[in-house]
Structures are given as structure tokens and as C-alpha cells.
Amino acid sequence: MSTPPLASGPEGPRALRPLLDAVLEALEAGARARGGPLPAGGPDAVAARLREAAGEILPDLGHPHAVRTLVRAFAEGAADPADPLCAAHLHCPPLAVATAADLAASALNPSLDSWDQAPAASELEAMVAAALAREIYGPGAAHPPAPPAPTAAPGPLAPDCLVTTGGTEANQLALLLAREAHGGTVRLVVGANAHHSLPRAAWLLGLPQPAVVPAPRGTLDPAALDETLTRLTGPLLVAATAGTTDAGLIDPLPAIAARCAAHGTRLHIDAAYGGGLLFSDRHRTLLTGLDAADTVTLDLHKLGWQPVAAGLLAVRDPRDLTALRQRADYLNAADDTEAGLPDLLGRSLRTTRRPDVLKLAVTLKTLGRRGLGALVDRVCAHARQFAALVREHPGFDLYAPPVISTVLFRPAGATDAAVAAVRRALLTDGRAVLGRARPDGRLWLKATLLNPATDPDDLAALLHLVAARRATLVEGHTPR
């Protein structure tokens, strides 16, 4: 048996070209067979079709056309975030340029745990990290250097970013850095609207049970936060949210930052969703106060249109990152570091780490701040347009005007059970993908609009589908 071709090396591009043609053809065929934003039939039907198409996964003899067969089946059974009617989650359609860059990252396969595995990737990561940290903290943000040491770099220390797998890992890192900054213990203080990954991170790190502050209107209440900080003792970390996953709401960041400063409390802001607003001149003011945070979570596979994964944790004071330092002689031997080889182990909790930074760098360079900002403005405008359609339709209730690109709505007069049934029916039909949320105890349908190519007809079609399905399930009428 001959050796299968490799993706990198002098012959790598030649070996990849016909495979890419096969993959692209299979993607097209799978999308045609799917015929909508989601495969029809529900979990059992989708699983049966996939199993029939895939056959035996580990046969004795390999199949020369497996890539075509499996990619087609994979695409046929996929949820397509590029379909305007796929609007349930913070699941963006990735940009073609970012996806193409991700192919290069996979082909070259650098691993960012030592410089000799990723020479250019490590430098590119440092450049992107610095650029995004400046977006959050401003070009003049810096801290005094660490106490003098033989290897200390002169001059102020600029804010930094770590590349993560997403918001969950970034939030966990933020808690870890806070714990170590406070000598090994800290108590998390979160709003009732906080992402589930924050209390989960506290549990994983063995921290005390988080203190939960009321969020009566979906955002953290600063007065209640002040009372909580006055009552509690010991080291504390307040975590605010810029873009909740249920309604896309943003906590009052300046008021929260002021309370934290008054109490000498460390502040983390989870901007996994809302962080992309930084690129928009029109919308970045919604993030006023973000630069007061000690750490900030970003997630550019949401409002950044990146293939998963593309998370970051920004750190105001890079001295906090000393808590992550590790020594492994085969990766960052002391004499190699002293000789000038960059030490990468302190850049992550992970060891092997793919170069997710390449797609970020290509996107930032290709679109620039204005290009990304235009995409942000577009999806926010789509949310306002869809909210207007809901508001004007007598058969629907609108929860509230959208803040970012999430719209909550429900059929007027429907029970929660009916709302859930409408959503599941649309999923089973494969016609539309909507999420669900309970911001006020009632069940609402959630449209998360992240596709900049969506047009007004798509928005009208989405609302029509929901109305038609409601007529079928709730009123027993046949949809027109």
C-alpha cells in the first residue's frame, strides 16, 4: 500500500487540490439534498440517513471516495448558519476568507506550545493579541514594569490577549487569574443573567458558591451589587455581561465599574457576544466601561464571523499571566528561553494548540475595522427590522426592542406549551431554526440574527413560517 499524500510539504497543495474539489462538490450536493436550514425529520430520521450513507466507519479496507461520501452526508444533515432562517443560536455563518485561512492552518498544522513548532504563528498571535487588546483598553493603556529582575523587559507593560476555544474557556481563565491574583481564593459575584459557564468555572476551580445579584430587567442591578459588595468579605470578583445569551442585553457597565472601584473589587466582563460591537463606530458606545475591566472575554465566532473556535481573553495587566507559567524542558527549557526562544506555555491552559489566530489575522487584515463594523451594523439593523415586523403583526408579542441582534417574540395569547410546540415543529420540518428563552418566566421564541446577507424578504418569511405553524398546531388550521 502506498503512503497517502500529506497536506503540507512541497507536494501538499497538489495533493489537496482534487480533494478540495471533491469536498466543495459534496458540500453543494449535501446542501441541495437538505433543502433548508436544517435536515427534516427530527433526530431519529437524521441519524438513520447518516448511518445509511456512512456505512461502516472502520472497514477492513478503506474506501477511496470516503471524503466525498461523508462530507455530502455531513452537509445534508447539518444546520446551516448561512441560511437566513437558521437563527436560533450565537452560531454565525463563517466568512469565506476566514474559512480559507483555516484550511491553511490545518494543512501546516502548527502547534502553539513551543516556538520551534510554530515560528510564524507565535509571532502572528502576539500581533493579533496586541491589536485586539488595544481595541478594548485603548492605545495608551499600560502598566508599570514588574520589579527589576535580570530578565525583566524595560518600559511599561501593555494589555494582552490569550487565544481560547471560546467564551467558556475565557471565563474559566478569568476566574483562575483572579484567584491567583488574590493568593489562591476569590468569591465570584454574578448577576442572575450571567452565562452558565461562570458558576461552572467557580465549581471547577474549587471556589466558594457564587453570590448571585438580582437582574430584574435582564441586566445586573448596580444598587443590588453595591449592597452585595458591602455585605460580603474577602477577595471578590464581579462578573458583568455585555450581551446575554437569552436577549442580547448589556449590563450597565459604567455603573458596575464604579461600584467595583469604590469597593476595590476586581471586575471581569463577559463580552463573548457583545464584544464585536467594538468594531462599529455606531454601536461601540454600548460597551462604554468595558476598558475598566481587569479581564474581558471575547468570542469572534459570534459577532466576528469566524469558524469555531475563535475566543479570546483580554487582560488589562499582563503581570496577571505569570500565574500560567509552566516549565517543561522539552518545550521551554530555561537555557532556550534565555537564548531568545519565545516561551509559549504560559499563553494557555492547553499544551497542543492549533493556530486559530491565522483566520483572525486574515479577517482583520482583509476587512479592516470598517469592514467588520459594517457587518455588525448590518445584523443589528436586521434585528431592528425584524422587531418592527413583530411589533406591527397583530398575531405576535415582542419582548423588547433589540439591543444587539437578538429578538424575542411569541405568538399572542399562546401558552408556553404551544410556543415550544411551534418551535419543535419548525425544527422537525427543517424549515426554520429558532431558539428559546425565559427572560420573564414565560417562554419566548428567540431569533439571533448573525447573517449579514439576510434581506427583508427573509425576515418576513421567518415570521410567516412561525405564524403558519402556529395556525396549524395551536388553532388546527392548514397553513397557506
Side-chain angles (χ1 to χ4, degrees):
M1 176 181 174
S2 61
T3 302
L6 303 177
S8 57
E11 299 301 318
R14 184 177 302 175
L16 278 172
R17 193 163 285 114
L19 292 171
L20 292 181
D21 288 341
V23 165
L24 295 176
E25 291 169 4
L27 285 172
E28 290 179 347
R32 285 195 302 270
R34 185 179 63 245
L38 200 71
D44 291 342
V46 172
R49 288 197 296 269
L50 179 65
R51 287 178 175 275
E52 182 180 1
E56 188 179 359
I57 289 296
L58 185 60
D60 286 337
L61 295 176
H63 195 291
H65 302 299
V67 66
R68 189 184 301 272
T69 300
L70 289 177
V71 170
R72 185 192 184 285
F74 192 75
E76 181 180 352
D80 182 5
D83 190 300
L85 304 184
C86 189
H89 303 286
L90 289 164
H91 179 199
C92 72
L95 293 166
V97 70
T99 306
D102 219 22
L103 169 65
S106 293
L108 292 168
N109 208 29
S111 179
L112 281 150
D113 50 324
S114 67
W115 181 87
D116 56 352
Q117 297 176 81
S122 60
E123 181 62 22
L124 189 62
E125 183 173 270
M127 294 169 64
V128 170
L132 292 176
R134 284 194 298 271
E135 286 297 308
I136 294 171
Y137 292 113
H143 293 267
T151 59
L157 301 173
D160 201 354
C161 277
L162 301 181
V163 177
T164 71
T165 55
T168 293
E169 183 189 344
N171 284 341
Q172 184 179 349
L173 267 173
L175 264 68
L176 174 63
L177 296 181
R179 185 189 72 181
E180 296 308 298
H182 285 298
T185 184
V186 70
R187 187 173 184 189
L188 176 65
V189 180
V190 294
N193 61 335
H195 192 263
H196 66 85
S197 63
L198 283 160
R200 190 182 198 189
W203 167 68
L204 284 169
L205 293 169
L207 300 178
Q209 185 74 16
V212 179
V213 178
R217 289 177 293 277
T219 56
L220 193 154
D221 180 3
L225 174 64
D226 194 67
E227 294 174 5
T228 300
L229 296 181
T230 300
R231 172 173 49 85
L232 297 177
T233 59
L236 303 173
L237 170 67
V238 172
T241 305
T244 59
T245 53
D246 59 356
L249 304 181
I250 297 174
D251 286 341
L253 303 181
I256 291 169
R259 264 57 170 202
C260 289
H263 288 274
T265 302
R266 189 177 175 99
L267 173 62
H268 170 66
I269 298 178
D270 178 3
Y273 178 11
L277 298 173
L278 286 168
F279 301 120
S280 165
D281 290 340
R282 177 174 181 175
H283 292 96
R284 70 176 295 141
T285 54
L286 292 171
L287 297 180
T288 298
L290 191 70
D291 59 350
D294 295 280
T295 50
V296 176
T297 287
L298 297 178
D299 202 344
L300 296 183
H301 56 247
K302 294 180 172 63
L303 272 187
W305 297 279
Q306 298 299 294
V308 174
L312 300 117
L313 178 72
V315 181
R316 168 189 284 279
D317 187 346
R319 288 172 295 190
D320 286 345
L321 300 180
T322 58
L324 301 179
R325 286 180 181 169
Q326 292 289 318
R327 180 71 65 189
D329 193 66
Y330 76 106
L331 294 175
N332 61 346
D335 58 317
D336 278 348
T337 303
E338 291 168 6
L341 295 183
D343 179 355
L344 305 183
L345 274 191
R347 305 290 303 175
S348 178
L349 291 177
R350 294 168 285 149
T351 302
T352 300
R353 198 157 56 84
R354 80 184 303 272
D356 289 315
V357 69
L358 178 59
K359 62 195 175 194
L360 293 173
V362 167
T363 300
L364 296 175
K365 183 74 171 176
T366 301
L367 274 70
R369 188 182 292 102
R370 289 187 181 180
L372 281 166
L375 297 183
V376 170
D377 292 345
R378 203 172 299 165
V379 297
C380 291
H382 292 161
R384 293 192 296 271
Q385 292 166 9
F386 187 65
L389 289 176
V390 172
R391 189 185 304 112
E392 294 163 5
H393 195 298
F396 288 97
D397 293 330
L398 176 70
Y399 175 70
V403 175
I404 307 178
S405 66
T406 298
V407 179
L408 300 185
F409 67 108
R410 55 181 280 140
T415 64
D416 284 358
V419 174
V422 168
R423 175 180 174 270
R424 285 193 293 269
L426 290 169
L427 295 179
T428 302
D429 294 343
R431 301 287 301 281
V433 190
L434 290 167
R436 51 185 286 161
R438 288 187 181 274
D440 59 357
R442 294 182 295 167
L443 185 63
W444 294 78
L445 296 173
K446 178 174 70 168
T448 310
L449 300 168
L450 292 181
N451 186 344
T454 298
D455 62 34
D457 289 342
D458 297 321
L459 298 174
L462 180 58
L463 198 60
H464 174 76
L465 279 172
V466 178
R469 248 324 184 174
R470 191 235 175 163
T472 303
L473 296 176
V474 179
E475 299 174 359
H477 295 166
T478 301
R480 293 180 179 272

